[in-house]
């Protein structure tokens, strides 16, 4: 059901040929997805309960990460994580941490689902945000496997209320428990006949708090930054993002910039280098002998460290806001950094709230971004005020993870 949407929504658009490259990575992963699951689960310790968590991509995995950490601390169990997007799979499979198995999620066909569930044999399943795979959910319900949806948003204009929404509505009924981000979602679920939902908040806040409190440093970045304030443009996803942040760098040659593309390719990096007038460095091309004093821009050409890199920044721009895929705005906010982003936030709870309380800023074009940046550069008191409010906002919104974890652990204990 979600294949076409994921293939189009999960692809950056500002570099020709880049969409094709990501699709090919997806196709290669799917060719062996079922076989890899069967083989990978063949030697897992079956004396332990198995928790299966699915995240569409790396962004959604930010919700799953603190849940996984908390479960592992409290119960000896197998953690199996699946991804639909190559971005998430590649990043997490390289550094799985306490995760026991990482797989691509096989396509949602009856045969694939049957083979997958026979191989994994989950004692419970946990999906992030907006996952309505009909065959997976149908078979999970048939097999009596408790299934949870975390950080759900059910909007008034969502597909559940459309004439074509029968599959979506039936998929909702498969969930044992739905944790939503707001009251309106609970009301909408009640209209749909689902009385198993509750407002829980967003585990992403717990994740960013965990990341921010984790000791982490990077010698190359520290050499590049020195003692200078840095503007960090993270998850640059769309041509509008690229145009704005490179032009901002050109307008402020006295400020150092770190640019982190959402997808890494030589074409992407070259597009940035061609547009920036000051010197550019590629992170992976730097070594101990690299002279960083003449470069204005560092391009981070690897995936997985963005949430940690924000700690080196004084201001941030988060990409994706000119599409439906605005990336995490609380990753920089947790460090007390003023955050800017594109205007497509109507359906987003967190950036809308950040704008309301004055710690986030919507920008429609380079002139608005430039005006916002100039104001903050010259007003340290304003920056300090934002930092204080941002820290308070994140702290007030942590705590969603324990409620989810408690439900999962209770379910596992009940199934023993």
């Amino acid at each position: 059901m979600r294949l076409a949407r994921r293939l189009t929504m999960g692809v950056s658009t500002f570099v020709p040929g880049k969409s094709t490259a990501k699709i090919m990575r997806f196709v290669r992963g799917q060719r062996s997805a079922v076989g890899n699951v069967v083989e990978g689960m063949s030697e897992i310790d079956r004396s332990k309960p198995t928790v299966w968590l699915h995240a569409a991509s790396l962004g959604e995995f930010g919700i799953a990460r603190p849940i996984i950490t908390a479960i592992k601390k409290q119960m000896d169990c197998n953690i199996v994580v699946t991804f639909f997007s190559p971005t998430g799979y590649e990043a997490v499979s390289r550094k799985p941490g306490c995760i026991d198995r990482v797989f691509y999620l096989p396509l949602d066909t009856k045969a694939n689902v049957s083979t997958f569930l026979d191989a994994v044999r989950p004692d419970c399943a946990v999906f992030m945000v907006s996952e309505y795979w009909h065959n997976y959910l149908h078979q999970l319900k048939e097999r009596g496997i408790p299934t949870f949806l975390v950080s759900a948003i059910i909007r008034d204009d969502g597909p559940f209320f459309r004439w074509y929404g029968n599959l979506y509505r039936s998929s909702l009924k498969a969930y044992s428990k739905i944790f939503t981000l707001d009251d309106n979602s609970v009301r909408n679920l009640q209209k749909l006949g689902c009385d198993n939902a509750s407002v829980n908040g967003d585990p992403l806040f717990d994740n960013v708090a965990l990341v921010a409190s984790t000791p982490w440093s990077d010698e190359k970045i520290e050499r590049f930054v020195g003692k200078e304030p840095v503007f960090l443009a993270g998850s640059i996803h769309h041509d509008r993002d690229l145009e704005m942040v490179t032009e901002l760098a050109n307008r402020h040659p006295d400020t150092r910039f770190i640019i982190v593309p959402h997808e890494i390719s030589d074409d992407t990096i070259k597009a940035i280098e061609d547009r920036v007038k000051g010197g550019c460095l590629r992170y992976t091309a730097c070594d101990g002998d690299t002279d960083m004093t003449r470069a204005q821009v560092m391009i981070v050409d690897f995936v997985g460290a963005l949430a940690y890199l924000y700690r080196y920044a004084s201001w941030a721009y988060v990409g994706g806001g000119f599409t439906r895929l605005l990336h995490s705005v609380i990753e920089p906010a947790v460090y007390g950094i003023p955050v800017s982003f594109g205007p497509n936030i109507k359906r987003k709870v967190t950036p809308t709230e950040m704008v309301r309380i004055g710690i986030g800023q919507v920008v429609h074009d380079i002139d608005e971004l430039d005006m916002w940046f100039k104001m903050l550069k010259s007003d340290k008191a304003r920056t300090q005020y934002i930092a204080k409010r941002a820290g308070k906002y994140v702290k007030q919104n942590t705590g969603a993870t324990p409620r989810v974890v408690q439900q999962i652990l209770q379910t596992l204990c009940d199934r023993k």
Side-chain angles (χ1 to χ4, degrees):
M1 182 187 302
R2 294 166 57 93
L3 174 58
R5 185 156 71 92
R6 282 293 178 196
L7 286 178
T8 55
M9 288 178 61
V11 176
S12 176
T13 59
F14 69 79
V15 177
K18 191 172 171 188
S19 299
T20 302
K22 184 170 183 179
I23 290 172
M24 289 308 299
R25 285 154 55 205
F26 169 84
V27 170
R28 286 195 296 268
Q30 282 296 326
R31 283 174 183 161
S32 55
V34 174
N36 286 343
V37 172
V38 172
E39 181 180 354
M41 294 300 299
S42 62
E43 296 183 0
I44 204 161
D45 186 351
R46 295 294 182 181
S47 67
K48 303 177 184 179
T50 296
V51 180
W52 166 37
L53 301 99
H54 175 69
S57 190
L58 199 56
E60 289 84 354
F61 181 70
I63 300 169
R65 184 187 286 112
I67 295 173
I68 293 167
T69 301
I71 291 173
K72 276 289 196 177
K73 284 182 178 179
Q74 298 179 57
M75 178 176 281
D76 186 16
C77 63
N78 301 313
I79 297 290
V80 176
V81 174
T82 57
F83 290 95
F84 193 76
S85 165
T87 307
Y89 172 79
E90 291 164 2
V92 176
S93 60
R94 283 195 295 267
K95 294 183 178 180
C98 65
I99 300 170
D100 297 281
R101 299 289 188 275
V102 182
F103 302 116
Y104 275 110
L105 182 70
L107 294 179
D108 188 36
T109 68
K110 290 182 179 180
N112 282 352
V113 172
S114 181
T115 303
F116 177 89
L117 293 178
D118 286 345
V120 176
R121 287 188 279 174
D123 290 279
C124 72
V126 188
F127 293 81
M128 311 300 143
V129 185
S130 58
E131 298 295 316
Y132 308 108
W133 299 98
H134 179 69
N135 289 307
Y136 277 103
L137 291 170
H138 177 73
Q139 289 203 34
L140 284 166
K141 186 176 182 179
E142 276 201 337
R143 295 177 185 223
I145 298 171
T147 304
F148 306 100
L149 181 62
V150 180
S151 293
I153 288 285
I154 310 298
R155 298 183 178 87
D156 302 340
D157 59 351
F160 311 99
F161 298 100
R162 304 289 187 178
W163 63 266
Y164 54 81
N166 185 56
L167 277 179
Y168 286 94
R169 291 188 290 270
S170 63
S171 295
L172 277 177
K173 301 294 177 65
Y175 283 110
S176 312
K177 176 73 175 179
I178 300 175
F179 298 96
T180 75
L181 291 182
D182 61 8
D183 291 313
N184 190 55
S185 294
V186 173
R187 288 192 291 269
N188 282 333
L189 285 164
Q190 289 171 345
K191 292 176 186 176
L192 295 166
C194 299
D195 56 2
N196 58 344
S198 62
V199 179
N200 182 64
D202 194 346
L204 274 175
F205 285 93
D206 299 300
N207 182 56
V208 299
L210 176 64
V211 169
S213 64
T214 301
W216 189 90
S217 62
D218 187 282
E219 185 270 337
K220 292 182 186 180
I221 297 295
E222 289 181 352
R223 285 177 53 215
F224 172 74
V225 171
K227 296 181 180 180
E228 300 296 323
V230 169
F231 189 106
L232 197 155
S235 293
I236 300 307
H237 183 94
H238 187 270
D239 192 54
R240 292 286 293 277
D241 296 330
L242 180 67
E243 291 174 357
M244 288 169 59
V245 299
T246 52
E247 176 59 21
L248 189 69
N250 292 336
R251 293 187 184 187
H252 296 269
D254 60 326
T255 301
R256 294 204 157 188
F257 282 70
I258 297 173
I259 299 178
V260 187
H262 179 59
E263 296 286 344
I264 307 300
S265 73
D266 287 336
D267 288 339
T268 302
I269 296 166
K270 189 175 186 305
I272 297 171
E273 292 172 334
D274 288 344
R275 298 187 189 202
V276 172
K277 296 176 182 177
C280 285
L281 293 171
R282 301 187 184 195
Y283 178 95
T284 57
C286 296
D287 58 27
D289 297 323
T290 302
D291 181 6
M292 298 189 180
T293 60
R294 297 183 182 182
Q296 183 198 4
V297 175
M298 168 75 81
I299 304 169
V300 176
D301 54 348
F302 67 95
V303 175
L306 178 58
Y308 296 91
L309 290 171
Y310 280 119
R311 66 187 62 196
Y312 291 108
S314 298
W315 316 274
Y317 175 87
V318 175
F322 288 94
T323 72
R324 293 188 294 172
L325 292 172
L326 176 63
H327 295 279
S328 176
V329 295
I330 57 173
E331 285 182 352
V334 71
Y335 297 105
I337 301 168
V339 186
S340 56
F341 36 82
N344 196 352
I345 65 169
K346 182 179 179 181
R347 297 170 177 265
K348 306 285 185 179
V349 174
T350 301
T352 300
E353 181 65 10
M354 287 175 58
V355 170
R356 188 188 70 80
I357 64 176
I359 63 175
Q361 180 67 45
V362 167
V363 292
H364 295 83
D365 53 41
I366 177 56
D367 290 331
E368 288 188 2
L369 179 61
D370 189 30
M371 186 182 302
W372 172 79
F373 184 40
K374 284 179 178 177
M375 181 270 292
L376 289 173
K377 281 180 70 176
S378 61
D379 191 345
K380 291 184 179 179
R382 175 65 181 170
T383 302
Q384 291 171 354
Y385 170 78
I386 290 173
K388 184 176 180 179
R389 293 211 70 178
K392 183 179 179 180
Y393 172 66
V394 173
K395 186 176 181 180
Q396 287 175 336
N397 283 279
T398 56
T401 297
R403 291 185 286 272
V404 175
V405 170
Q406 181 181 18
Q407 183 81 59
I408 293 171
L409 294 178
Q410 183 61 54
T411 297
L412 294 175
C413 290
D414 291 345
R415 287 176 64 84
K416 285 184 177 179

